[in-house]
Amino acid sequence: MVRKASEQVRRYYNEDGPEISTVGRRVIQQDGLYFKDLDGSGKVSAVNDWRLPACQRAAAYAAILTVPEKLGQLFIADWRMGIRQKDPDKRDQTGLLDEGTIKKGENIFAEQDLPGTTDALKGWFVRHFIIRDNVPPHDLADWHNQLHALAEECEHFVPVQTASNSRNENGEVVFGMNDGAGEFATWPGTLGIAAAVRGDSIQIIDEFADCIRREWNAAGLRKGYMYMADVVTDPRWQRTYGTFGEDPALICKIFEHLIPRIQGSGDGPTPDGVAMTVKHFPGGGARENGFDPHYAMGQWNVYATEGSLDRYHLPGFRTAVAHNTSSIMPYYAKPAEAKSRPQTAESGKIEMQPYGFAFNRPFVHDLLRQKMGFQGYINSDSGVLHSMAWGVEKLDVPERIAFAVGYAGTDIISGSFDPDDAMAAYERGKNGYYEDHPVPTGFTKEQLVLTDAALDRAVTNTLTEMFQLGMFENPYRDPANADAVAANAADQSSAARAHRKSVVLLKNDGTLPITPEKLAGKKIYAEAFHKLPERAAQATAELKGLLCGLMLVDTPQQADLAILLLAPSSGEYFNATPGYLELDLCDGKVVPNVDSEGRPLSETHVETTLAGAGRIAQIAAAVHANGGKVIANVNVTLAWQLGNVEPLVDALTAGFDTLPEAVLDVMRGRFAPTGRLPLTLPRGDAVLAVDANGVCISPNDVPGYDKDLYLPDRLKDENGKAYAYRDAAGNYYELDFGLCY
């Protein structure tokens, strides 16, 4: 077996300069300093000289690299690890690289044939991958080392930059959202982190960010597709759980701390940092009745309220720009001019061209770059060339590449590798292609060809990030150290505290906390509920294990106390439901279908968000008949409607992909509740009703805390409130609400 690259690294140390690590590259010694020969020139050129600014080195390299080498760097997409391949014949000799091919139809974002890793790196000069495998840190470090060693064999060395969605939050591993969980320190979901910060301190973000920077860097994972600056304004948006909630002010405060701590400085990424891609510009929360742009029904961003874009959706991105996030990701959607009110930002009216934001020059170039002053690079969301090419469907793939990179200003395209189509876009500007082929209506020839200037700009921007990160000089990581950093006890402790601080106490009649004195002699019924019955059974067994040592009974009829953990689920963002995303905690609820324009129909279908939800009332009745109490926790991944649960229970908490043991610690008085709601929970269907024209009674582009400004008086109570859920004690479950013991 060939020795792993991790075992072959040579290291050279510069006093007051970067460490040089290499497996197969020549190292130049000059003036008592060491330099890696990146460009193959054998001298300390502008490319090789680490004393020069990153942007200068990147521009010098873009001038040297061949056109095919530059075209290969325009794309980033999913890649496999060889050690995850079940078929050994598809692995290279080390077991780390995957030499198997991907056949058409295997990639969710594009139907294409892809080569093995060696051919991709050496033949296509691909240098950007998305890694989704959930593996131990030492495997990540080994894999990255092997990629860099292979890249060093090319005439021009450019390290391999891998990106990942977040890996440090608890919850289900969901493709395209959180790529891994459990291998690094595990924090609550981002909504839970926001809940903890609201009730405690921004120091939680500092600890969270420092943990990510150390763990990712040690494993060689130097770029994160994270975090979401999106503001939740339509509660039916499936991606709500990946946000920090509905409050732009809190989101800005979080990103003020998050970006410098993860990247290593407020001036951009550093050799000790991890580059961030903040998403999804100009804010993905303005969904039309919750429809997601992964499917056609949700391809529009609707701004029904004048000034909403500037007031609610852009502030988080302004903060990201001010703190020099390395990259920003535009959303799939396109602005819906016909359904929107006029929008202004940075003292100017925004032109609503009907193109997905990665293709949208008024938003990407004019607003983000020119008016907001963004200096980093633009990374499209995955699949805009093939699957979610909203607004540019009439263009072929080479034209879409040229339109995104050359016209709009996108620097790297995610979700597919299309170097041949990129070459076609480049050659069409030189071979008179449009003298013999019609230019699609509504476009110009100049918009549809890829120029040298646009290509060099894009590659310079992405190379700059890698130079800033120190990846050219020192890309190699120690696998043993990667494991040690991920096992850091202080980070594990910080994450555990954040889980407990994330719990929000919504309702309490004095039942909580259930201290040892209150539990003495009490019989307890425990059950977990989930959308999937098999998941509920597994969670129930885990819950009972956490309550080991207490007097557990098999039926609520025997119980003095019931503890219920509710984990509802609704929809999926890659596929549309037949109607609107359901927020009720329900089993078998009959709801209307929608037509192709998103308008309600007379036809209906059945939705379930919590299997067996009707049994909660039966459990409560049985326990209350014994004079007992019922305690429930709801896992808030969407802004659930709690009318089918809250009236039935005596105490209610909310978690946000919070570990069950943390929830129980709060219930049992081992940790006092401090969390506050990061978003408003809606009262019920009446405040989310959609009329025959597909218009929601509460505007899709306004966060929950401001929706009462637009709701009719007939829905408002004596306090002038309509939108937020109001419980039996008269408390509104609105932004920043939370009780204490």
Side-chain angles (χ1 to χ4, degrees), residues 414-687:
S414 181
S416 59
F417 292 113
D418 296 277
D420 291 341
D421 285 313
M423 180 62 81
Y426 178 81
E427 291 177 340
R428 286 177 183 181
K430 302 178 183 298
N431 63 13
Y433 175 86
Y434 286 105
E435 295 176 8
D436 302 316
H437 297 82
V439 176
T441 303
F443 300 89
T444 67
K445 178 182 70 174
E446 290 73 21
Q447 294 172 338
L448 304 180
V449 297
L450 184 59
T451 65
D452 285 292
L455 181 58
D456 285 353
R457 180 216 74 230
V459 172
T460 298
N461 285 343
T462 55
L463 287 174
T464 296
E465 177 184 82
M466 287 195 278
F467 276 115
Q468 290 173 318
L469 289 167
M471 293 183 65
F472 284 89
E473 273 65 51
N474 185 24
Y476 295 97
R477 294 296 181 263
D478 178 3
N481 182 61
D483 282 341
V485 171
N488 181 277
D491 287 335
Q492 303 285 345
S493 179
S494 294
R497 283 195 304 273
H499 275 278
R500 284 149 183 83
K501 290 179 180 180
S502 74
V503 178
V504 178
L505 179 60
L506 295 175
K507 179 180 181 179
N508 190 23
D509 68 347
T511 299
L512 295 177
I514 45 174
T515 59
E517 294 77 17
K518 289 183 180 180
L519 290 173
K522 291 292 192 291
K523 299 176 181 178
I524 300 171
Y525 177 77
E527 184 173 355
F529 289 76
H530 193 278
K531 182 175 182 176
L532 302 176
E534 60 272 22
R535 292 289 303 278
Q538 178 185 357
T540 297
E542 293 172 356
L543 172 59
K544 290 180 177 179
L546 293 171
L547 296 173
C548 181
L550 300 180
M551 194 183 306
L552 299 179
V553 294
D554 294 329
T555 68
Q557 287 77 13
Q558 302 169 281
D560 303 302
L561 181 71
I563 299 176
L564 309 177
L565 300 187
L566 315 179
S569 180
S570 186
E572 53 180 288
Y573 64 85
F574 283 116
N575 296 290
T577 58
Y580 308 113
L581 198 74
E582 185 55 52
L583 297 180
D584 218 355
L585 303 191
C586 62
D587 185 356
K589 181 179 179 180
V590 178
V591 295
N593 293 357
V594 297
D595 66 13
S596 60
E597 299 297 322
R599 297 169 298 201
L601 296 169
S602 58
E603 291 85 359
T604 62
H605 68 283
V606 173
E607 285 285 348
T608 292
T609 60
L610 198 66
R615 292 187 53 251
I616 297 172
Q618 299 170 13
I619 293 168
V623 175
H624 287 148
N626 296 335
K629 298 290 187 176
V630 180
I631 305 167
N633 179 81
V634 178
N635 187 41
V636 177
T637 54
L638 290 165
W640 301 115
Q641 300 169 197
L642 300 183
N644 290 338
V645 171
E646 179 273 324
L648 304 173
V649 303
D650 304 288
L652 180 64
T653 60
F656 308 84
D657 284 322
T658 304
L659 292 171
E661 50 264 41
V663 173
L664 291 175
D665 273 358
V666 172
M667 289 181 174
R668 300 181 71 173
R670 296 169 176 170
F671 196 98
T674 60
R676 298 291 183 269
L677 283 177
L679 75 176
T680 302
L681 304 184
R683 187 179 86 188
D685 291 342
V687 296

Side-chain angles (χ1 to χ4, degrees), residues 167-171 178 180-182 184-193 196-197 202-212 214-215 227 488 490-502 656-659:
R167 290 171 175 261
N168 284 81
E169 296 91 65
N170 184 47
N178 51 320
F184 292 146
T186 304
W187 297 66
T190 50
L191 284 174
I193 292 171
V197 170
I202 197 66
Q203 182 181 347
I204 294 169
I205 296 297
D206 294 340
E207 294 171 351
F208 176 59
D210 288 347
C211 171
I212 291 169
R214 289 190 293 265
E215 292 183 337
Y227 279 89
N488 181 277
D491 287 335
Q492 303 285 345
S493 179
S494 294
R497 283 195 304 273
H499 275 278
R500 284 149 183 83
K501 290 179 180 180
S502 74
F656 308 84
D657 284 322
T658 304
L659 292 171

Side-chain angles (χ1 to χ4, degrees), residues 9-13 19-22 145 474 476-478:
V9 178
R10 308 192 316 272
R11 297 187 180 275
Y12 304 81
Y13 299 94
E19 177 182 335
I20 306 295
S21 63
T22 184
N145 288 349
N474 185 24
Y476 295 97
R477 294 296 181 263
D478 178 3

Side-chain angles (χ1 to χ4, degrees), residues 329-493:
M329 179 179 289
Y331 210 23
Y332 298 110
K334 58 187 179 183
E337 183 177 18
K339 297 182 180 181
S340 299
R341 300 290 299 277
Q343 302 295 322
T344 59
E346 321 316 293
S347 303
K349 183 178 179 181
I350 299 175
E351 182 184 356
M352 296 283 186
Q353 289 187 355
Y355 307 127
F357 290 116
F359 304 98
N360 202 304
R361 184 179 177 89
F363 275 87
V364 168
H365 179 271
D366 300 346
L367 176 58
L368 182 56
R369 285 208 181 279
Q370 297 297 312
K371 295 181 180 179
M372 295 174 64
F374 178 55
Q375 298 297 311
Y377 70 88
I378 308 297
N379 192 135
S380 88
D381 215 331
S382 292
V384 298
L385 286 187
H386 297 270
S387 302
M388 281 76 73
W390 310 130
V392 296
E393 293 91 341
K394 69 170 65 174
L395 303 181
D396 63 17
V397 172
E399 289 167 336
R400 293 174 188 176
I401 294 170
F403 197 65
V405 176
Y407 172 70
T410 295
D411 296 302
I412 189 168
I413 298 173
S414 181
S416 59
F417 292 113
D418 296 277
D420 291 341
D421 285 313
M423 180 62 81
Y426 178 81
E427 291 177 340
R428 286 177 183 181
K430 302 178 183 298
N431 63 13
Y433 175 86
Y434 286 105
E435 295 176 8
D436 302 316
H437 297 82
V439 176
T441 303
F443 300 89
T444 67
K445 178 182 70 174
E446 290 73 21
Q447 294 172 338
L448 304 180
V449 297
L450 184 59
T451 65
D452 285 292
L455 181 58
D456 285 353
R457 180 216 74 230
V459 172
T460 298
N461 285 343
T462 55
L463 287 174
T464 296
E465 177 184 82
M466 287 195 278
F467 276 115
Q468 290 173 318
L469 289 167
M471 293 183 65
F472 284 89
E473 273 65 51
N474 185 24
Y476 295 97
R477 294 296 181 263
D478 178 3
N481 182 61
D483 282 341
V485 171
N488 181 277
D491 287 335
Q492 303 285 345
S493 179

